[in-house]
């Protein structure tokens, strides 16, 4: 293979996760990123994170719609090949980075303000789980949910990527956690992620939560759909329901009299829209998460792993609701 060529996976049409991907050979990217034109950290990718947005991208259903064909993959872990002057990382460093696109490839480029040293205690697969989900979880819990130590958090989709990250970050912020999951296998994953209690989405979860906690302070909701009203009913006075996503398929609507009657709030948490233009916000979040990694509360749970050429299987795992923890591509297995 030519030294300036790399293996990558592209989305070539919008026919869905099973058929829209192609393994291709492409020229390696220049050290330039769309958020920092003319500048960027070039990374030899060892592991690529796979997430719900890539599934949506294969259907043209995600807000970011690059022209076809394009290389998806928003986050990676690997080794820095080159970094711009003034960056906090340099050649040879192990890093976790958010590249927005281009992560399903042997070489990727990320802005310096979204590239962070990877703790020696975490492997590359865990590093590929650290940016999107953990930065979102911290944003949703701390900034948007205003979570305080001693409060109680209910986490939906708790065995998933956002779910496991939210359970661990909530613990790191000193909260009690209750996980909502749909199966025994997912219950085990939620407990491994540190859930203090687990309830089942197909049972009387709202009543169990009320009985156990008297009402929760914060709900983290990446699922949406029918359970939204019961999430609102699960809040105690002053509680905050944080809207993170809609894996359940439908976007819920709220009768706002419920907010007035119980003095509660619904708040949105859109991490990318908020954080990608704010370098210092990302550095502060990475520093807070690094302290949680060091303390042992943040330890990403990696579920299914696939080689780069099986990226379609990785996306289908998420699409078919089979994912637990983080789905990862081993790019240089
Ligand atoms: N707001 C932001 O800034 C932000 C950032 C990152 C991701 N997100 C969004 O957050 C959501 C979750 O992402 P994720 O990476 O955590 O996904 P994931 O790992 O696949 O987990 C999603 C969970 O949703 C639950 N679920 C309920 N109904 C489902 C259905 N019909 N299909 C699939 N899952 C279903 C599943 O849990 P049970 O089976 O236990 O119900 C599943 O574990 C996505 O919508 C993603 O786009 C938002």
């Amino acid at each position: 293979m030519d030294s300036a060529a790399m293996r990558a996976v592209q989305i070539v049409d919008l026919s869905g996760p099973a058929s829209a991907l192609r393994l291709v050979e492409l020229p390696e990217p220049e050290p330039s990123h769309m958020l920092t034109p003319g500048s960027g950290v070039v990374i030899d990718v060892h592991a690529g994170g796979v997430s719900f947005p890539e599934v949506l991208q294969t259907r043209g259903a995600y807000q970011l719609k690059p022209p076809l064909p394009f290389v998806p993959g928003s986050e990676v872990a690997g080794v820095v090949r080159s970094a711009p002057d003034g960056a906090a990382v340099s050649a040879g460093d192990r890093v976790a980075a958010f590249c927005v696109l281009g992560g399903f490839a042997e070489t990727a480029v990320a802005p310096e303000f979204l590239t962070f040293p990877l703790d020696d205690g975490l492997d590359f697969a865990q590093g590929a789980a650290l940016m999107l989900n953990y930065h979102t979880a911290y944003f949703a819990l701390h900034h948007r949910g205003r979570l305080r130590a001693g409060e109680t958090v209910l986490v939906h989709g708790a065995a998933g990527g956002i779910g496991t990250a939210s359970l661990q970050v909530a613990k790191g912020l000193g909260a009690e956690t209750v996980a909502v999951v749909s199966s025994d296998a997912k219950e085990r994953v939620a407990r491994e992620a540190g859930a203090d209690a687990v309830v089942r989405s197909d049972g009387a979860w709202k009543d169990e939560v009320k009985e156990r906690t008297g009402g929760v302070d914060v709900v983290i909701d990446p699922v949406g759909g029918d359970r939204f009203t019961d999430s609102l009913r699960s809040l105690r006075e002053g509680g905050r329901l944080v809207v993170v996503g809609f894996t359940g398929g439908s976007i819920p609507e709220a009768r706002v009299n419920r907010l007035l009657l119980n003095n509660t709030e619904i708040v949105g948490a859109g991490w990318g829209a908020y954080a990608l233009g704010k370098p210092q916000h990302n550095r502060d979040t990475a520093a807070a998460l690094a302290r949680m990694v060091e303390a042992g509360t943040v330890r990403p749970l990696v579920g299914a792993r696939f080689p780069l050429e099986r990226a379609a299987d990785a996306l289908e795992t998420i699409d078919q609701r089979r994912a637990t923890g983080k789905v990862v591509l081993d790019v240089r297995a």
Side-chain angles (χ1 to χ4, degrees):
M1 188 191 290
D2 186 271
S3 65
M6 65 171 188
R7 293 162 78 232
V9 167
Q10 286 182 323
I11 293 179
V12 297
D13 60 41
L14 303 179
S15 59
S19 51
L21 302 183
R22 291 283 176 281
L23 183 67
V24 294
E25 216 169 86
L26 294 175
E28 289 183 337
E30 298 293 316
S32 177
H33 190 272
M34 61 180 154
L35 295 176
T36 52
S39 168
V41 181
V42 179
I43 299 163
D44 285 327
V45 177
H46 285 250
V50 186
S51 303
F52 227 87
E54 281 98 37
V55 177
L56 299 177
Q57 283 169 359
T58 66
R59 300 192 171 108
Y62 193 59
Q63 54 260 40
L64 182 63
K65 294 183 174 68
L68 297 169
F70 67 94
V71 179
S74 67
E75 59 189 328
V76 298
V79 176
V80 174
R81 191 190 294 179
S82 69
D85 290 345
V89 297
S90 53
D93 286 354
R94 297 168 80 247
V95 292
F98 192 77
C99 48
V100 184
L101 292 170
F104 289 11
E106 288 177 326
T107 307
V109 181
E112 59 77 21
F113 67 82
L114 288 166
T115 305
F116 300 102
L118 180 59
D119 189 278
D120 286 342
L122 301 182
D123 63 21
F124 287 122
Q126 289 174 307
L130 210 47
M131 289 295 306
L132 178 65
N133 291 336
Y134 284 84
H135 280 242
T136 298
Y138 188 80
F139 179 60
L141 288 162
H142 174 69
H143 292 276
R144 304 299 292 146
R146 308 190 307 279
L147 181 68
R148 291 182 294 271
E151 289 190 326
T152 302
V153 181
L154 178 77
V155 179
H156 286 291
I162 288 285
T164 51
S166 297
L167 288 171
Q168 294 184 354
V169 172
K171 277 275 140 206
L173 292 169
E176 287 283 302
T177 55
V178 183
V180 187
V181 296
S182 65
S183 69
D184 288 345
K186 289 185 177 184
E187 173 164 353
R188 284 193 290 277
V189 173
R191 289 200 188 279
E192 201 186 329
D196 294 305
V198 182
V199 295
R200 293 291 278 267
S201 54
D202 57 356
W205 61 268
K206 186 253 302 171
D207 299 331
E208 289 170 43
V209 169
K210 279 280 209 187
E211 203 170 299
R212 183 184 166 95
T213 65
V216 300
D217 300 286
V218 173
V219 174
I220 295 294
D221 187 11
V223 176
D226 329 343
R227 53 180 93 179
F228 196 78
T229 301
D230 276 347
S231 290
L232 277 179
R233 291 185 177 125
S234 302
L235 291 172
R236 71 172 55 159
E237 185 179 274
R240 292 82 71 194
L241 193 172
V242 186
V243 177
V244 178
F246 310 104
T247 55
S250 64
I251 297 179
E253 291 180 13
R255 294 169 66 93
V256 296
N257 62 320
R258 290 190 199 287
L259 310 182
L260 175 155
L261 290 171
N262 298 319
N263 290 291
T264 54
E265 298 167 47
I266 300 171
V267 292
W271 172 72
Y274 182 87
L276 294 185
K278 298 183 182 68
Q280 194 54 42
H281 170 86
N282 296 294
R283 295 184 188 113
D284 293 345
T285 299
L289 292 172
R291 287 192 291 275
M292 292 183 195
V293 170
E294 214 161 289
T297 43
V298 162
R299 199 137 292 264
L301 295 182
V302 175
R305 300 170 71 148
F306 300 89
L308 182 63
E309 58 272 20
R310 287 185 58 208
D313 293 332
L315 294 193
E316 286 201 292
T317 301
I318 294 175
D319 194 39
Q320 294 166 2
R321 202 173 173 173
R322 288 186 278 117
T324 55
K326 184 71 177 179
V327 178
V328 169
L329 295 179
D330 288 309
V331 175
R332 288 168 194 260

